[in-house]
Amino acid sequence: MTPPRISRVASLLVLAALFVLTIGFANAADFSHLSGSYQVLRETDLGSQTRVRLQLHLSNHGQRDLHIQRITFWGSARHPGGKPQACSLLVHPGSFASTTQEVTMPRSEYRSWTSEKRLNLLVAVEGSGGREATELVRLDRISGGKEN
């Protein structure tokens, strides 16, 4: 038979763990409501590199304002991503916001994500209490508008 004191301590530890997990999931839920699309406005061949000017459209399907602070263009596992870029963008609940960004990347990486018609974007978002979280958002390509 388990002594009552150990049983109480174990119960308190289980309750504390559940409380911590619940808070973690609540905070993660604040940031998991982004989706988006992109349009290539211009691409410039720089030899082994390609400079791309993109129009990004990000939608907030959540119930809180999302303040995007930084974005990183994120490729495949072989090309995990570029340098983070500052991007101050406020996306209201049930709304979308657009921004134009320019990025230079290896030509092979550019060809890879254009053939898939999707682009991954790592987004740093300021949440409640000033805490920052990151989310990987898959962007679908919008055709047209490209000038060389």
Side-chain angles (χ1 to χ4, degrees), residues 71-108:
I71 60 172
T72 305
F73 293 95
W74 198 261
S76 63
R78 288 186 353 201
H79 305 287
K83 295 178 184 175
Q85 298 181 8
C87 177
S88 182
L89 191 62
L90 182 63
V91 190
H92 297 291
S95 185
F96 74 92
S98 296
T99 182
T100 301
Q101 298 288 322
E102 196 165 290
V103 63
T104 301
M105 64 180 71
R107 186 173 29 177
S108 59

